[in-house]
Amino acid sequence: MKWNLRWAAAKRDIWRPTDLLAAFKEVGFNPSLSKVSAMWGSTPISVRLDDLDMICQALNCTVVDLLEAEPVEVRRPSDQDLPKAVGESGPGGGAARPTPRQPRGDGLRSLPPN
């Protein structure tokens, strides 16, 4: 989302956070100057709906004037990005499992260490 508070305020000839605070107080919205400065300087993480209504009332605008949807680019994984199975070497693949050892010719096992 794009936050257009400064644009909406400029339409009402408000150019500083202190002027915006005065406009808010006219409609009964009393945030701190630091909160207004934070909203003025960057996009807020969250805004309460009650606060959004008061901002719109103070600036004589709508939510559409304050918030603008921006398309998000979705990256789809290609075949090269997908995880491969153990032992798979290329597009044709390889042995998916290791091959077992061939038994010795005499059939005897060695003894464990002492």
Side-chain angles (χ1 to χ4, degrees):
M1 295 300 276
K2 187 175 179 184
W3 180 242
N4 293 323
L5 178 68
R6 290 178 113 169
W7 180 252
K11 287 181 180 178
R12 190 154 175 242
D13 202 30
I14 295 174
W15 303 101
R16 297 181 307 185
T18 53
D19 298 335
L20 183 61
L21 183 61
F24 287 164
K25 289 189 181 200
E26 287 176 12
V27 295
F29 182 42
N30 296 311
S32 66
L33 180 58
S34 62
K35 183 175 180 178
V36 173
S37 294
M39 286 191 297
W40 183 266
S42 63
T43 302
I45 302 294
S46 64
V47 179
R48 293 181 49 206
L49 294 178
D50 294 339
D51 293 350
L52 197 56
D53 281 339
M54 298 297 271
I55 292 169
C56 289
Q57 186 179 357
L59 296 176
N60 194 22
C61 66
T62 64
V63 175
V64 175
D65 296 326
L66 289 175
L67 298 172
E68 181 181 335
E70 292 182 315
V72 178
E73 184 179 325
V74 178
R75 184 177 170 268
R76 299 214 168 124
S78 66
D79 289 340
Q80 295 173 351
D81 295 338
L82 296 175
K84 296 184 180 188
V86 175
E88 187 177 4
S89 58
R97 294 185 173 186
T99 55
R101 286 191 208 165
Q102 297 298 325
R104 288 201 266 169
D106 60 4
L108 298 176
R109 293 185 171 186
S110 60
L111 296 174
N114 288 338

